[in-house]
């Protein structure tokens, strides 16, 4: 198998992360020697160790061994003892996006970018291509429900990757097919301004191979503008407002069971796409995946069948269980637009029941910038519990907490609960038979769903 010499003995700092573990999976499948470390153990390591990876818990200089390169993400600080030791010893250090770009070499590459929807769209494209027996390599920021994996080394000559704009690292890629689902200010802690954030997408479009294909949502003004100014590449748009001969125009969308049905006009014919996940925004993601799949040589009928079979991504409206007549889901939405779109979809899934959301803001910078927008988005729910901020890579900011959001939400059912250990009993108090509860956010709020279900079961049995 083709292993770049620079990655033949790779050491991955923070190997348990979504992006890093995916790179490790592909390297191991190609026969590379892989080592790594992380701050704490995880179930991901069971698979990686079984494939031959050497993984240490805790980060120390002696973990390095003798690697050909050390791979890091933006989250790894220069003070990390392993990174510092690699610098001192002159070992090459690669950003994970650069490592992934090396693994893409020799493949036809499709990259999915955008502020929202890139994980779901990348996953849909991957599953649809697999259904068409294309066996793509892939690297995704979440685990497919079908396989439980976030990455795979395939034999089909195609590489599908989620392209992360948060730190601008997607500028390492040179795709022949690129999707931009939307462009809306985010990650301003890194980019600084909305203009700088938008500019990095302009640079990404310039990375598309000459004569390649750019696919954008024509309903998104900023994504549409990217297409208007793209040079040296072909363009296809999708959405309700598009009119071009090669565009995919959405004619109708209707919720159906736990998902929906979308009807579109494409190349003079009408096509119906069924999706098993709720929300028109998810159906639009499926259209983007369809267009990318067609460019990669898969048949429309097979792609549509694969999209209909798509079972979702972990942490994207993932069903956690039921206690009595209460259903509990978990979702990764952590930007106001994502929260609003998902809660509109949840409203359909709830039927006659109420929607209860347990929301954890992610990053102090994002909370400060979008507090009002988060409040407006969360107003789509009947009851809202707002937790304190999950800081992730950021240090606390004085005066910035979940209260900034809670105090701006309109409606009676608003609860700010900064004590994490009090959230489960509070959520259990709030729900009624028939309700749908969703834990939402990019932090450790994901752990609360099973605990809420257990508390509801305990109360029902007492």
């Amino acid at each position: 198998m083709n292993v770049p010499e620079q990655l033949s003995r790779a050491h991955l700092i923070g190997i348990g992360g979504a992006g890093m573990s995916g790179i490790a999976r592909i390297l191991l499948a190609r026969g590379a020697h892989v080592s790594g470390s992380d701050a704490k153990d995880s179930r991901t390591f069971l698979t990686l160790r079984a494939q031959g990876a050497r993984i240490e818990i805790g980060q120390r200089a002696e973990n390095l061994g003798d690697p050909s390169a050390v791979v890091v993400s933006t989250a790894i600080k220069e003070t990390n003892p392993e990174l510092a030791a690699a610098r001192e010893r002159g070992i090459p250090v690669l950003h994970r996006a650069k490592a992934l770009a090396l693994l893409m070499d020799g493949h036809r590459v499709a990259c999915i970018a955008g502020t929202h929807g890139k994980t779901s769209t990348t996953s849909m494209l991957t599953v649809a291509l697999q259904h068409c027996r294309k066996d793509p390599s892939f690297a995704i920021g979440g685990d497919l429900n079908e396989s439980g994996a976030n990455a795979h080394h395939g034999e089909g000559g195609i590489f599908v990757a989620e392209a992360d704009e948060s730190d601008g690292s997607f500028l390492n890629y040179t795709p022949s097919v690129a999707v931009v689902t939307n462009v809306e200010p985010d990650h301003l802690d890194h980019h600084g301004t909305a203009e700088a954030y938008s500019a990095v997408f302009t640079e990404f479009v310039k990375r598309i191979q000459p004569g390649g294909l750019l696919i954008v949502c024509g309903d998104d003004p900023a994504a549409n503008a990217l297409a208007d100014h793209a040079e040296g590449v072909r363009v296809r748009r999708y959405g309700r407002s598009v009119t071009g001969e090669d565009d995919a125009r959405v004619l109708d969308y209707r919720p159906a069971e736990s998902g929906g049905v979308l009807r579109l006009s494409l190349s003079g014919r009408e096509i119906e796409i069924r999706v098993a996940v709720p929300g028109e925004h998810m159906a639009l993601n499926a259209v983007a995946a369809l267009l990318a799949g067609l460019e990669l040589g898969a048949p429309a009928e097979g792609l549509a069948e694969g999209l209909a079979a798509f079972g979702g991504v972990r942490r994207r409206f993932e069903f956690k269980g039921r206690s009595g007549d209460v259903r509990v889901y978990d979702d990764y939405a952590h930007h106001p637009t994502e929260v609003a779109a998902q809660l509109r979809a949840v409203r359909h899934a709830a039927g006659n029941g109420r929607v209860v959301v347990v929301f954890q803001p992610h990053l102090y910078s994002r909370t400060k910038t979008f507090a009002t927008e988060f409040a407006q988005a969360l107003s789509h729910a009947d009851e809202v519990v707002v937790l304190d901020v999950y800081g992730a890579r950021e240090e606390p900011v004085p005066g910035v907490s979940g209260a900034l959001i809670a105090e701006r939400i309109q409606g009676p059912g608003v609860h700010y609960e900064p004590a994490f250990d009090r959230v489960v009993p509070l959520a259990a108090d709030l729900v009624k038979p028939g309700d749908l509860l969703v834990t939402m956010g990019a932090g450790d709020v994901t752990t609360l769903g099973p605990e809420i279900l257990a508390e509801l079961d305990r109360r029902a049995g007492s």
Side-chain angles (χ1 to χ4, degrees):
M1 294 183 188
N2 180 26
V3 180
E5 180 61 30
Q6 199 168 7
L7 295 173
S8 59
R9 302 184 318 281
H11 181 82
L12 284 65
I13 304 177
I15 195 172
M20 300 292 271
S21 62
I23 291 171
R25 285 178 189 271
I26 295 172
L27 283 171
L28 289 164
R30 293 191 185 184
H33 296 281
V34 175
S35 62
S37 64
D38 217 316
K40 59 182 179 180
D41 209 344
S42 78
R43 65 180 184 182
T44 301
F45 298 159
L46 293 175
T47 301
L48 295 180
R49 284 176 173 136
Q51 290 180 291
R54 176 179 64 82
I55 301 175
E56 304 292 339
I57 306 303
Q59 295 175 331
R60 299 171 294 275
E62 54 266 32
N63 290 341
L64 284 182
D66 183 30
S68 57
V70 169
V71 182
V72 299
S73 70
T74 305
I76 304 301
K77 294 180 171 58
E78 288 293 327
T79 53
N80 181 283
E82 295 177 20
L83 177 55
R87 300 279 194 207
E88 184 178 343
R89 291 169 53 186
I91 299 170
V93 176
L94 301 179
H95 188 280
R96 66 176 176 83
K98 178 61 177 176
L100 190 59
L102 289 173
L103 293 175
M104 292 174 176
D105 191 45
H107 293 75
R108 193 169 184 202
V109 177
C111 285
I112 316 300
T115 310
H116 323 294
K118 52 186 173 286
T119 300
S120 296
T121 307
T122 310
S123 303
M124 288 176 171
L125 175 58
T126 297
V127 170
L129 290 171
Q130 289 174 332
H131 185 82
C132 296
R133 300 188 178 182
K134 292 290 185 180
D135 190 23
S137 297
F138 64 86
I140 308 172
D143 291 343
L144 292 175
N145 284 347
E146 282 79 4
S147 64
N150 62 343
H152 166 71
H153 168 68
E155 301 291 345
I158 295 171
F159 202 120
V160 178
E162 179 177 344
D164 181 18
E165 86 289 356
S166 66
D167 56 2
S169 61
F170 64 170
L171 299 182
N172 284 281
Y173 309 141
T174 309
S176 61
V177 183
V179 174
V180 178
T181 57
N182 41 60
V183 181
E184 190 174 347
D186 197 7
H187 304 292
L188 301 187
D189 57 316
H190 175 84
H191 295 283
T193 66
E195 292 75 17
Y197 179 81
S198 179
V200 80
F201 279 93
T202 301
E203 293 304 310
F204 173 68
V205 169
K206 293 178 182 178
R207 299 286 301 173
I208 301 172
Q209 293 178 3
L213 179 65
L214 171 64
I215 300 167
V216 302
C217 180
D219 297 337
D220 182 79
N224 209 29
L226 284 176
D228 287 340
H229 296 98
E231 297 180 355
V233 298
R234 293 169 294 125
V235 173
R236 298 191 79 174
R237 294 171 168 88
Y238 62 96
R240 288 185 177 271
S241 59
V242 301
T243 58
E245 184 176 338
D246 292 329
D247 295 340
R249 182 163 61 92
V250 174
L251 304 174
D252 177 62
Y253 171 80
R254 66 181 188 277
E257 298 177 355
S258 61
V261 179
L262 183 144
R263 187 166 54 89
L264 71 152
S265 174
L266 180 63
S267 301
R269 56 182 288 211
E270 287 193 12
I271 295 176
E272 190 172 85
I273 297 178
R274 294 180 175 272
V275 290
V277 286
E280 184 170 347
H281 63 296
M282 292 297 253
L284 281 171
N285 292 340
V287 179
L290 173 70
L291 292 178
L294 290 172
E295 178 68 11
L296 293 169
E301 292 76 11
L303 290 168
E305 290 173 2
L307 291 168
F310 173 69
V313 187
R314 287 179 183 167
R315 297 229 55 213
R316 272 65 175 181
F317 200 55
E318 180 186 359
F319 181 61
K320 306 302 291 186
R322 178 191 293 268
S323 179
D325 290 329
V326 175
R327 290 169 290 162
V328 175
Y329 289 80
D330 182 48
D331 195 86
Y332 190 68
H334 56 280
H335 183 282
T337 301
E338 296 168 350
V339 172
Q342 196 58 57
L343 288 179
R344 284 193 293 268
V346 170
R347 177 66 64 189
H348 286 293
N352 295 324
R354 299 181 312 151
V355 174
V356 180
V357 59
V358 177
F359 177 71
Q360 182 184 52
H362 184 259
L363 299 182
Y364 294 96
S365 57
R366 186 181 284 127
T367 302
K368 181 179 180 180
T369 302
F370 297 118
T372 298
E373 290 81 358
F374 274 123
Q376 293 168 346
L378 290 165
S379 296
H380 288 285
D382 299 295
E383 295 275 0
V384 182
V385 179
V386 181
L387 282 62
D388 227 338
V389 179
Y390 184 85
R393 60 185 178 271
E394 296 183 344
E395 296 297 324
V397 176
V400 178
S401 71
L404 281 182
I405 296 172
E407 65 192 17
R408 289 170 167 79
I409 299 175
Q410 301 296 314
V414 182
H415 314 267
Y416 170 53
E417 182 48 78
F420 199 80
D421 60 349
R422 296 179 184 173
V423 175
V424 169
L426 173 58
D429 287 342
L430 292 175
V431 294
K432 300 176 181 178
D435 286 353
L436 187 156
L437 182 145
V438 56
T439 56
M440 186 172 285
D444 54 4
V445 66
T446 186
T447 64
L448 295 181
E451 294 184 29
I452 293 169
L453 285 166
E455 175 64 14
L456 290 172
D457 287 343
R458 186 189 68 79
R459 295 186 183 190
S462 61

